[in-house]
Amino acid sequence: MITRKHLYIFKTVATTQSMSKAAQLLYISQPTISQKIQEIENQYDIKLFERYSKKLFITEEGKTLLNLTNSILGLYDDMDHIFSKDNRFSLKIGATLTVGNTIISPLLKQLKEQYPSINIEVCIDNTHIIEEKILNNYLDIALIEGELTHPDFIVTPVIHDKLVFACAYDFPIPDTLEIQELTRYPFINREEGSGTREQLEEYIKKHHIHLKSSWECHSWEAVKQAILYNHGIALVPLQLIENEVYNGDLKIIPIDSISLERDFCICYHKNKKVTKKLSAFIETCQIYGQELKNGYIQNQDSIPNK
């Protein structure tokens, strides 16, 4: 069988026009060089070199093989480059919109600091789109909010998240509300398919309440801007508005002692091989979740008044 080594030796001999020079360059004995050239000639029943006056001349068959050898060795070099440790294919990470608007950027910065050789591609979209991309192998892994119940998914909680009702600091609203009083105020909602919206709708359905959305937004930034400019109240991730609450621009509204909490979860297909890259991402999420928990705002008592 003709191997990569055979071809590399043949190319070196053809380039140097000398078996002894090829042996020196490759740190191989000259008899080994001669043996490998002979094995190629026997395999294809051809003559690669002619010797005249102690000098090698490549034959027409040799020139044809040299062209093929250059192409084949070039492909080997491409494979070595693509699949080397520093040039692997990207880890394709999905994130739902809440995750994308709150924690995915600092989390991936932490991942890159710990594992600088990992190449990353990121897709941020709503829960249902991310689910489809994982099922169709467009994504390797995702960090999501909301529930995915597909039997082909492995879902593991890694980061705790808290949802709060919030409005502008001077929005005309009592300091506390009953759950039923939500219907009195314009509500800024996320789009259908959002994990946050689904969680809210599931909760209020149990209390036989119907909320009419005054605004329906496809991004958390739009939700935040709407409540900052006094257009209504919204259910938002606490992490999204921490700075605005501390600055006194927004306030959290306790509603009937409601505590809406959830987990951001790692999600990947059950048939996906857990590579070192996937393990690194999962580990980083777990560490980030623990660090976040240690510095979490636990209640409104810790938030200064304006």
Side-chain angles (χ1 to χ4, degrees):
M1 172 187 262
I2 303 305
T3 66
R4 183 180 184 180
K5 183 177 181 180
H6 283 87
L7 296 178
Y8 198 68
I9 288 173
F10 163 65
K11 179 179 178 179
T12 307
V13 173
T15 302
T16 61
Q17 295 183 301
S18 169
M19 291 194 184
S20 60
K21 289 181 181 179
Q24 292 173 359
L25 287 173
L26 299 177
Y27 300 98
I28 301 173
S29 68
Q30 188 168 335
T32 300
I33 296 285
S34 299
Q35 178 188 343
K36 296 301 180 185
I37 295 297
Q38 185 66 53
E39 287 174 356
I40 299 174
E41 292 178 330
N42 292 341
Q43 173 75 30
Y44 298 114
D45 192 22
I46 57 175
K47 189 73 173 176
L48 295 175
F49 300 99
E50 297 285 0
R51 183 180 292 276
Y52 300 111
S53 302
K54 298 183 180 181
K55 187 175 180 181
L56 288 181
F57 293 88
I58 192 167
T59 64
E60 289 301 316
E61 293 95 335
K63 291 177 182 179
T64 300
L65 182 62
L66 182 58
N67 288 332
L68 292 171
T69 295
N70 287 332
S71 298
I72 293 168
L73 291 179
L75 290 174
Y76 273 119
D77 289 342
D78 289 343
M79 289 168 60
D80 287 343
H81 175 75
I82 292 170
F83 294 104
S84 68
K85 290 183 179 179
D86 294 330
N87 294 286
R88 298 295 176 112
F89 290 110
S90 298
L91 177 62
K92 296 179 175 62
I93 299 173
T96 48
L97 293 169
T98 300
V99 175
N101 278 274
T102 54
I103 65 171
I104 195 64
S105 291
L107 189 152
L108 292 182
K109 180 183 179 183
Q110 190 167 309
L111 175 66
K112 289 291 288 183
E113 288 173 350
Q114 187 70 24
Y115 302 95
S117 65
I118 293 181
N119 296 318
I120 297 171
E121 293 180 22
V122 180
C123 172
I124 298 174
D125 215 315
N126 70 39
T127 304
H128 295 308
I129 297 298
I130 295 297
E131 178 179 4
E132 286 297 317
K133 287 183 178 293
I134 295 174
L135 283 172
N136 291 299
N137 202 34
Y138 292 120
L139 292 173
D140 298 310
I141 194 167
L143 186 60
I144 63 166
E145 94 272 8
E147 294 185 4
L148 297 184
T149 57
H150 197 285
D152 289 340
F153 288 153
I154 293 176
V155 181
T156 306
V158 286
I159 299 172
H160 191 65
D161 181 44
K162 185 175 182 180
L163 296 168
V164 295
F165 290 94
C167 64
Y169 192 85
D170 57 353
F171 187 76
I173 196 169
D175 291 336
T176 60
L177 290 178
E178 298 292 325
I179 182 70
Q180 292 78 11
E181 294 178 283
L182 279 174
T183 57
R184 298 180 184 176
Y185 301 95
F187 196 77
I188 316 299
N189 213 346
R190 284 294 309 277
E191 83 286 359
E192 291 187 9
S194 160
T196 303
R197 176 165 175 166
E198 289 179 351
Q199 186 173 2
L200 174 62
E201 289 179 346
E202 182 180 346
Y203 185 86
I204 64 175
K205 189 183 296 183
K206 296 176 183 177
H207 292 80
H208 308 289
I209 296 170
H210 176 70
L211 283 179
K212 182 179 180 181
S213 300
S214 298
W215 287 51
E216 189 172 279
C217 305
H218 283 257
S219 76
W220 281 117
E221 185 58 31
V223 172
K224 184 161 68 173
Q225 289 298 314
I227 59 176
L228 277 168
Y229 283 91
N230 258 323
H231 291 294
I233 64 175
L235 182 69
V236 295
L238 180 56
Q239 296 172 65
L240 182 72
I241 60 167
E242 281 182 346
N243 291 334
E244 289 77 10
V245 171
Y246 272 108
N247 293 335
D249 298 317
L250 296 177
K251 64 181 178 182
I252 295 172
I253 313 161
I255 298 184
D256 205 18
S257 301
I258 295 176
S259 178
L260 288 175
E261 300 185 356
R262 61 184 177 181
D263 291 308
F264 292 151
C265 298
I266 288 293
C267 175
Y268 56 93
H269 197 281
K270 66 180 183 181
N271 294 331
K272 174 67 68 174
K273 181 181 178 181
V274 181
T275 62
K276 291 181 179 179
K277 291 185 294 185
L278 255 66
S279 295
F281 177 66
I282 294 170
E283 178 187 6
T284 302
C285 289
Q286 292 168 336
I287 294 171
Y288 188 88
Q290 188 59 47
E291 292 174 350
L292 193 62
K293 181 179 179 181
N294 292 340
Y296 217 87
I297 298 175
Q298 294 295 339
N299 54 59
Q300 199 172 1
D301 293 339
S302 63
I303 300 171
N305 293 323
K306 192 171 183 177

